[in-house]
Amino acid sequence: MEKVVNMSHWRRKLVLWMVMVIQLSLFLSVFSTEIHARKFLKDNDINTNDVRLHISDRQVIIDNGLVEVTIENPSGYLIGIKYKKMQNVLERRNHISNRGYWDIVWDGDSYDKLETKHVEVITQTNDIVELSFTKTWNSKNHGKTIPLNIQKRYIVRRGISGVYMYGIFERQEDFPKAHMYQIRIAFKLKEDKFRFMALSDTIQRVMPRSEDRVKGHSKPLDFKEAVLLTNPSNPKLKGEVDDKYQYSIENKDNKLNGWISDHDSIGFWIMTPSNEFRTGGPHKQDLTSHVGPTALSMFVSTHYTGTEIDTFYKEGEAWKKVFGPVLIYLNSASLKDDDHRKILWNDAKRQLSEEIESWPYNFTRSEDFPHSQQRGQVNGQLLVQDRYMDKQLMQAKSAFVGLAPPGEADSWQKEGKGYQFWTQTDKIGRFNIKNVRPGVYNLYAWVHGFIGSYKLDLNITIQPENKIELDTLIYDPPRNGPTLWEIGIPDRTAAEFFIPEPYPQYVNSITNDGADKFRQYGLWDRYSDIYRDSDLVYTVGTSNYSKDWFFAHVPRKIGDDWYRPTTWQIKYNLQDVNNRGTYTLQMAIAAASFAEVEVRFNDPNSDRPHFTTRRIGYDNAVPRHGIHGLYRLYSIEVPGYRFLKGSNTIYLTQTRSDNSFEAVMYDYIRLEGPNSLNN
């Protein structure tokens, strides 16, 4: 007995000792992190100097002791940012109009860098300087410059190692029509310094140089944006593909991108704390950074939507919008730190968190940018009613809910002129949309796991400081009967389907992460390798959509620049058939590019399909390495006599085959039986 007691005593001591070791380990970890942070701050020498402004005939300089920002007078081009020992982080070898600039692509191939005519001091104190570079459109320039009144604003604040930028663009009623395809800010960084690009925790790498993309150093691929690096300046990149569209990110995730100069241990970052001024909603994809080194802040584009996004302004159509502010942030770490990249990236994320917490900024001085007390919010709860899945109301967990200009249920994804405000619901479907600018909106939503889109059938008017509490909202997703079978997950992407291994000779190591595998070059041609002589056949109950359903319905390549339409088959069994009932094929499309899907039931040789989408889509998602473009849903009703008791086959034919990029991506397909519920 005594021996047992002693063993128990020693066990207790051992447990106490282990607890002390764990506590000491946690303390040392926290202490080490704090010391590291202090070291980082020491290296960056937090400066509280006054903000100083100097204006000359040729230049405007704003200096806060951390950064010195130089802007050409009166064009508004950002021509220099001095930080630490780097006299200019921008490429001084470039023309002054090709360092830091706004630009707009309009009316086809017209290109305007928004060169301004005047500079105005909006605010000048010891704590902040805000400048406005302006131009008023003149009808004498009709056809030569974009018909817009322009304000390009710069803000430098005490203690912030960077510059805020935003634009205010206006069309008056007497302005001519215009089509504005793209609006952005671009920054060309010092190429001999900035070599390492970071877009997210996983998408980071040493990048090729611009000279690596020219003849003799690379081989052009199927489109001009993509090249195979054959003789790059960095031998480690030999054999890789470089394509700027491989670095695209959805708006909801595109808040931070930038570059690092390893030699100087300096980071250059673009921070976007809000998406309210971006177009196309939270899932709109766009460019970030690419070889140059070029860093981008994209506001409007037709990427991954095509011209279906609303960017056409009719004659007499007035319009005004604020783009930004975004923050151009610079940081540095000790050259002695082996993990300086991680330090710089983590500090940039820390600063981004502060910017998001401070949104909407209260230091801007434009009446067109309302501060928090001039905005409103909308609260509510979204539930889902699908009696074939659950007789009870279901919680819309992690659903996307947003306010956007009035329109049809999915119009927000094509909306290119107004403001949008989006959030995600919590576990029980509650949502809070904060900091909404005054205006008239519709409320939209879509729920993971359910097809279709929700729209609240009333206009919501936001006024300053009002808080709107909505009743519980019920989404009744499209459904006509019970599920007989389904393929995929209703998530508006093709990400869950089979994505093949890339060609070894066309790999980009930045997309090695499993979640980004679809961004590898040339995956569309892998279909022709796998299905050389016949097309995809999917057998319900036997096949697995993650292994057997190719992510994109593309033509089959049968020779050089020679393609053939492809017909996919879905085979399934029906134990019983209601000949007098109506069945429904729910076909959700995640992307479409100059494609057409014809649907036939049990008769592949029928001259006329039972249903056709006709030609749809301009999103070009396949060559631009997107896993989705614009979402479309087709609810196809089919009379019962089209079906057979026992074996059945649905034939999906993608009829367009001029090239390998005429394709669709399916989101989800479901066959529903006739309505079996009592109304």
Side-chain angles (χ1 to χ4, degrees):
M1 184 67 177
E2 181 68 24
K3 187 176 181 179
V4 173
V5 171
N6 287 339
M7 289 180 66
S8 178
H9 171 75
W10 284 108
R11 285 195 186 99
R12 287 197 299 272
K13 281 200 166 189
L14 179 61
V15 170
L16 288 173
W17 180 80
M18 291 176 67
V19 170
M20 290 175 63
V21 170
I22 292 172
Q23 289 177 335
L24 178 61
S25 176
L26 290 172
F27 171 77
L28 291 175
S29 176
V30 172
F31 182 73
S32 174
T33 301
E34 184 176 349
I35 291 297
H36 205 166
R38 289 178 179 177
K39 182 174 182 291
F40 182 86
L41 293 175
K42 182 179 178 181
D43 289 340
N44 281 273
D45 292 328
I46 291 181
N47 193 307
T48 57
N49 287 354
D50 292 347
V51 184
R52 294 165 294 178
L53 173 65
H54 175 72
I55 301 178
S56 69
D57 291 340
R58 298 183 62 184
Q59 294 182 346
V60 177
I61 299 174
I62 318 173
D63 185 358
N64 68 354
L66 292 172
V67 292
E68 182 181 282
V69 179
T70 304
I71 309 156
E72 193 197 32
N73 186 7
S75 69
Y77 292 131
L78 179 63
I79 58 177
I81 302 177
K82 179 182 178 182
Y83 179 71
K84 296 290 184 177
K85 294 182 180 180
M86 196 177 293
Q87 292 298 310
N88 195 350
V89 301
L90 304 178
E91 183 53 78
R92 294 187 64 180
R93 293 176 300 178
N94 287 5
H95 187 270
I96 57 175
S97 65
N98 193 32
R99 299 179 190 177
Y101 57 90
W102 289 79
D103 66 18
I104 291 182
V105 179
W106 63 293
D107 285 3
D109 296 327
S110 297
Y111 185 66
D112 195 323
K113 284 194 172 180
L114 307 185
E115 189 171 305
T116 50
K117 301 296 184 182
H118 308 281
V119 60
E120 178 183 358
V121 179
I122 303 298
T123 303
Q124 183 180 5
T125 70
N126 292 335
D127 294 320
I128 185 171
V129 166
E130 178 171 352
L131 304 177
S132 180
F133 291 80
T134 64
K135 183 179 76 169
T136 300
W137 187 74
N138 190 319
S139 59
K140 294 180 180 179
N141 293 321
H142 185 32
K144 300 178 181 178
T145 62
I146 183 75
L148 283 177
N149 294 335
I150 297 165
Q151 295 184 52
K152 298 185 295 188
R153 296 210 175 191
Y154 294 87
I155 298 175
V156 175
R157 301 171 63 203
R158 182 198 293 267
I160 301 295
S161 58
V163 54
Y164 296 87
M165 298 174 64
Y166 68 110
I168 307 168
F169 301 151
E170 179 183 25
R171 283 177 48 86
Q172 296 179 351
E173 290 185 354
D174 60 343
F175 283 13
K177 64 182 181 180
H179 204 156
M180 295 190 286
Y181 296 96
Q182 177 176 282
I183 302 175
R184 67 178 188 176
I185 313 176
F187 303 90
K188 303 295 181 65
L189 307 180
K190 290 182 69 69
E191 188 165 11
D192 62 338
K193 295 288 187 179
F194 292 92
R195 303 282 182 83
F196 188 85
M197 183 183 73
L199 309 179
S200 71
D201 288 335
T202 58
I203 305 178
Q204 302 184 7
R205 76 170 225 173
V206 174
M207 291 288 287
R209 303 182 66 174
S210 57
E211 66 190 39
D212 296 331
R213 291 179 53 89
V214 302
K215 186 177 180 180
H217 295 272
S218 67
K219 173 186 174 182
L221 296 175
D222 285 351
F223 40 89
K224 64 180 181 180
E225 291 85 0
V227 299
L228 179 65
L229 303 173
T230 56
N231 184 29
S233 54
N234 183 348
K236 293 181 179 179
L237 300 178
K238 184 176 180 178
E240 291 204 8
V241 168
D242 179 70
D243 177 0
K244 66 181 181 180
Y245 288 108
Q246 291 179 312
Y247 316 130
S248 296
I249 295 179
E250 290 188 352
N251 282 344
K252 64 182 177 61
D253 303 316
N254 187 6
K255 297 183 181 298
L256 174 66
N257 71 83
W259 293 76
I260 290 173
S261 170
D262 287 325
H263 182 268
D264 307 275
S265 197
I266 287 176
F268 177 97
W269 310 101
I270 299 176
M271 298 184 180
T272 309
S274 171
N275 284 318
E276 66 181 49
F277 41 80
R278 283 176 168 158
T279 58
H283 312 293
K284 170 75 166 66
Q285 302 153 95
D286 228 319
L287 300 172
T288 55
S289 292
H290 57 79
V291 167
T294 300
L296 300 173
S297 182
M298 301 293 299
F299 302 119
V300 175
S301 84
T302 58
H303 300 142
Y304 303 95
T305 62
T307 53
E308 290 181 76
I309 196 164
D310 184 19
T311 56
F312 178 73
Y313 298 81
K314 297 178 292 186
E315 184 173 355
E317 181 179 359
W319 173 80
K320 193 174 192 180
K321 188 171 182 178
V322 177
F323 293 100
V326 297
L327 170 62
I328 312 309
Y329 177 73
L330 294 103
N331 59 3
S332 65
S334 170
L335 292 173
K336 298 178 181 179
D337 288 320
D338 293 334
D339 57 350
H340 65 277
R341 292 173 180 169
K342 183 177 180 180
I343 293 172
L344 293 171
W345 173 251
N346 286 338
D347 176 68
K349 292 199 297 182
R350 175 203 56 77
Q351 184 66 37
L352 173 64
S353 296
E354 291 187 9
E355 301 303 318
I356 293 173
E357 186 67 25
S358 301
W359 188 271
Y361 298 136
N362 61 5
F363 53 79
T364 56
R365 289 296 175 264
S366 170
E367 62 181 14
D368 297 305
F369 183 80
H371 298 168
S372 57
Q373 69 273 19
Q374 299 168 303
R375 298 181 177 223
Q377 64 176 292
V378 176
N379 304 324
Q381 183 181 26
L382 180 66
L383 301 177
V384 180
Q385 178 176 272
D386 188 332
R387 295 175 295 166
Y388 284 100
M389 293 184 65
D390 194 321
K391 293 182 179 180
Q392 305 297 319
L393 290 173
M394 293 171 283
Q395 294 158 349
K397 179 182 178 181
S398 299
F400 283 88
V401 182
L403 296 174
E408 300 300 321
D410 252 330
S411 60
W412 53 268
Q413 63 178 344
K414 301 178 184 179
E415 203 286 311
K417 297 177 181 177
Y419 300 92
Q420 298 195 26
F421 303 85
W422 288 86
T423 189
Q424 282 187 272
T425 59
D426 62 16
K427 294 181 180 179
I428 61 172
R430 294 192 180 278
F431 59 87
N432 178 208
I433 307 175
K434 300 179 180 179
N435 297 315
V436 183
R437 298 174 60 109
V440 179
Y441 303 89
N442 282 162
L443 185 138
Y444 306 92
W446 75 269
V447 187
H448 185 280
F450 298 90
I451 61 175
S453 305
Y454 174 82
K455 175 194 169 185
L456 180 62
D457 289 327
L458 59 86
N459 289 343
I460 295 178
T461 301
I462 300 295
Q463 297 177 345
E465 296 190 274
N466 71 339
K467 182 177 180 180
I468 297 176
E469 296 286 347
L470 296 174
D471 294 334
T472 299
L473 309 177
I474 308 297
Y475 176 44
D476 191 358
R479 182 183 282 279
N480 294 324
T483 299
L484 301 181
W485 51 259
E486 59 187 348
I487 301 173
I489 302 170
D491 61 357
R492 297 187 169 224
T493 81
E496 71 270 26
F497 296 130
F498 174 62
I499 299 172
E501 292 300 317
Y503 292 112
Q505 69 271 29
Y506 292 140
V507 168
N508 184 330
S509 60
I510 203 171
T511 62
N512 276 346
D513 183 74
D516 295 309
K517 184 178 177 181
F518 64 87
R519 296 193 184 279
Q520 294 285 5
Y521 177 87
L523 296 181
W524 48 86
D525 281 339
R526 297 286 285 115
Y527 179 85
S528 300
D529 296 335
I530 298 170
Y531 300 96
R532 292 181 180 276
D533 302 313
S534 59
D535 288 321
L536 183 152
V537 177
Y538 187 93
T539 302
V540 174
T542 301
S543 299
N544 183 321
Y545 61 73
S546 65
K547 298 178 181 179
D548 303 311
W549 189 270
F550 201 78
F551 78 103
H553 194 163
V554 295
R556 187 191 306 116
K557 189 173 185 179
I558 57 176
D560 292 339
D561 298 323
W562 189 257
Y563 301 87
R564 177 175 294 169
T566 50
T567 298
W568 291 8
Q569 300 179 44
I570 305 173
K571 293 183 175 295
Y572 58 97
N573 280 291
L574 294 178
Q575 293 182 351
D576 296 295
V577 174
N578 183 344
N579 290 325
R580 296 184 178 182
T582 299
Y583 293 71
T584 304
L585 183 71
Q586 303 284 7
M587 186 172 70
I589 302 292
S593 297
F594 300 93
E596 178 183 22
V597 178
E598 293 182 347
V599 184
R600 291 174 173 84
F601 294 86
N602 292 321
D603 184 1
N605 299 316
S606 173
D607 290 337
R608 295 183 61 183
H610 177 78
F611 173 82
T612 176
T613 61
R614 301 189 184 278
R615 201 209 60 76
I616 54 172
Y618 304 89
D619 57 37
N620 228 14
V622 170
R624 290 178 174 174
H625 321 291
I627 202 64
H628 71 87
L630 293 177
Y631 176 80
R632 294 172 171 85
L633 175 66
Y634 299 95
S635 297
I636 305 166
E637 294 187 351
V638 190
Y641 65 81
R642 294 276 188 181
F643 298 93
L644 305 173
K645 184 176 181 180
S647 298
N648 289 261
T649 303
I650 293 177
Y651 299 90
L652 303 176
T653 302
Q654 203 294 99
T655 65
R656 306 289 172 134
S657 59
D658 287 338
N659 58 64
S660 57
F661 306 135
E662 294 182 329
V664 297
M665 294 182 189
Y666 300 100
D667 166 40
Y668 174 77
I669 299 176
R670 180 173 75 212
L671 181 64
E672 298 171 357
N675 189 345
S676 60
L677 293 178
N678 294 324
N679 294 324

